[in-house]
Amino acid sequence: MSLLEVNNLEVIFALRHGDLVALNDVSFTLDKRERLGVVGESGAGKSVTGFAVINLISKPGRISKGTILFDGKRLDRLSEREMRHIRGNRIAMIFQDPMMTLNPVLTIGTQMVETLRAHRKISKKDAAKIAIAKLELVHIPSPERRLAQYPHEFSGGMRQRIVIAIALLTDPAIIIADEPTTALDVTIQAEIMDLLLELCNTQDMGLMLITHDLGVVAEVTERVMVMYAGKVIEVAKTSDLVASPMHPYTKGLINALPGHGECDEENRLQQIPGSMPNLTEIAPGCSFHPRCEFCQDICTREVPELRSLAGMDERKVSCHFAGTEQMQ
Amino acid sequence: MQTRRQKIKESYLLYSFKRDKVAMVSFTILAILLLAALFAPLLAPYNPYDTASIDIMDSEIPPSWTEEGDSRFFLGTDIQGRDLVSTMLYGLRISVMIGIGAVILQALIGIAVGLVSGYFGGRIDAVLMRIADVQLSFSTLMVAIIVSAIVQIAFGVGRYEQLAVPILIVIIGIAEWPQYARTVRASVLGEKNKEYVEAARVIGLDSRRIMFSHILPNTLSPVLVISTVQVANAVMSEAALSFLGLGMPVTKPSIGSLIDAGFEYIFSGAWWITFFPAVLLIVFILVINLLGDWLRDVLNPKLYKG
């Protein structure tokens, strides 16, 4: 059994003019020490998936269907109190902007010690020792001194390291990283990604990396799940997905990556025409069909299921024509 | 590694304090007044509470520099023959005590209500804020008049004299807590959607911890600013109540009751009994307000002056 198993998850935001289905029948698994990428454009439901796993969907949203199994426990059924014990303890989360996620008026040490003491009965001294060890783990020089400093005394990259160190405090089984490098510059991005990769290997952690950067996903993750308009449309091993995308949307995403080739007509940067539909007014049939270059009659009528393809394990696509000749 | 002392030395607060003459003068005067109030028993030449040392024959002696003045009493004496300097020092002590006590009470109630109201929102917020509105719609004086009238009847005037200080603290404290509640609520509304609050929730902290150790410290600067103004307001409220005869009794006068006591004799020529306490009150309130203004400017980065 997998460490984390999400089945048929549906999340609904009750808005004044009707329900908005933010997640529609989302299922996935995450094994121990596995690194899963979640890719998609803004509004596809990546972050909502992350928040749903730790049962922290903010109002007016709620989980309306489906199950979330973690370590054999139904997370969607736990009380708030029991859930607090999981959050930040067994499953930690890292956010996009390290400038915002640290409390500006508390020292790093205070914030780390508090986190530890919220989950374990230990003295402040012992908590500080653990905090120092974790800061060392994320390569912060002279951590003892740093504990007494405030967030504004650190650079962006350092802050994200500290956020990661806070996530590591309780030795979680899974880290959910929600676009952890989007707010950082490119060189720092690479450092943080290397760090996350290294920590997954040394600390026995699973990683759920939410991003819109396929390059990062290709570098760090083992498996990847592509989302579109609240649905999972393709799941595959990262190497397979990058080498041969099956869903037209995934193809589009990969074609939209800048390459290293010459700057001529042929190598022009591709883009996917149109934009993602408003989630309150999704067209019938495949939600991608208005933008799809292979769109046929059936696509406008029937919703494609997420199905395995013949001869390909671990690979699922939701497209009527995936793997058929029309798509070549 | 910076020591705490170095940090204070290099802080913006101290820097701007040193550059602002008004703030420095206000602070000096306030410090002198507060120290004088604190050490009143040591500084005052006489003990105004000691009935044995008061001689009714000394009553209504004008300040010592006037023709009929007595060198024993620098600012003269009041109607009961008490030395005005000593009585004012003791009175300031009582006024400050009531002012600070009332503000602490206001802050405790107001911050708790404001935090809960802002953080949870919805129905809780609506109910708490309407209670605050109702409270604000009664004027402080009206509440005070009713409560102290009830207390005076219930406990008798004799007992009231002993209970006057705590009762005044409670009256003024309860009358003004909505000020804090509103200020804190407004800043909590601004803070609670910031990502560090969400991060704290993701870490698994409970609401109480998030409210008090994460959001509260971020809302403290407006609280600090209104605290200074509220101390001044509380001292003024107390003076107003005492002036109306509802505050401190004449045997244990605060600044307000001194002004009141002297007011009856102002037309018989004994102007000094009202005049000096009134000047003291005005100076005290003024320096606190000036300091409050300065503090507001310093703590609000949007108001940085070049």
Side-chain angles (χ1 to χ4, degrees), chain A residues 51 54 56 84 87-88 93 95 97 100-106 114-115 118-119 145 148 166, chain B residues 1-2 7 194-207 209 213-215 217-218:
Chain A
F51 279 109
I54 52 172
L56 252 191
R84 269 209 301 274
R87 261 181 230 142
M93 194 156 176
F95 292 101
D97 194 345
M100 308 292 296
T101 46
L102 293 167
N103 192 329
V105 300
L106 300 179
E114 186 185 34
T115 306
H119 293 293
R145 212 152 54 85
I166 291 178
Chain B
M1 182 79 185
Q2 280 186 316
K7 269 191 179 162
K194 293 197 175 161
E195 261 188 63
Y196 71 84
V197 176
E198 188 150 46
R201 226 172 276 152
V202 164
I203 280 167
L205 302 183
D206 54 31
S207 309
R209 237 216 186 86
S213 66
H214 283 254
I215 299 182
N218 280 296

Side-chain angles (χ1 to χ4, degrees), chain A residues 24 228-229 231 233 247 277 281-292 295-305 318-321:
Chain A
N24 188 349
Y228 185 81
K231 280 185 190 158
I233 56 161
H247 195 283
E281 45 198 55
I282 291 179
C286 173
S287 50
F288 186 60
H289 84 255
R291 302 170 71 186
C292 184
C295 177
Q296 303 285 325
D297 241 14
I298 183 174
C299 303
T300 61
R301 282 183 279 109
E302 279 176 40
V303 181
E305 267 180 59
S318 89
C319 176
H320 293 299
F321 300 106

Side-chain angles (χ1 to χ4, degrees), chain B residues 101-153:
Chain B
V103 165
I104 290 173
L105 185 65
Q106 286 168 20
L108 286 180
I109 302 175
I111 289 174
V113 170
L115 266 180
V116 169
S117 187
Y119 184 77
F120 290 110
R123 224 166 265 168
I124 299 177
D125 180 32
V127 171
L128 288 174
M129 281 299 115
R130 289 307 80 73
I131 293 176
D133 288 343
V134 169
Q135 178 70 64
L136 271 187
S137 67
F138 293 112
S139 84
T140 312
L141 283 180
M142 202 178 93
V143 175
I145 288 167
I146 295 168
V147 172
S148 59
I150 292 171
V151 171
Q152 291 203 15
I153 292 166

Side-chain angles (χ1 to χ4, degrees), chain A residues 20 28 40 48 105 125 128 144 164 167-168 170 176 178 192 270 283 288 292 300 316 318:
Chain A
L20 182 150
F28 64 92
V48 175
V105 300
K125 240 185 189 168
E144 298 88 352
I164 293 173
L168 289 177
T170 49
I176 301 173
D178 189 355
I192 295 290
Q270 304 277 315
F288 186 60
C292 184
T300 61
K316 286 181 181 169
S318 89

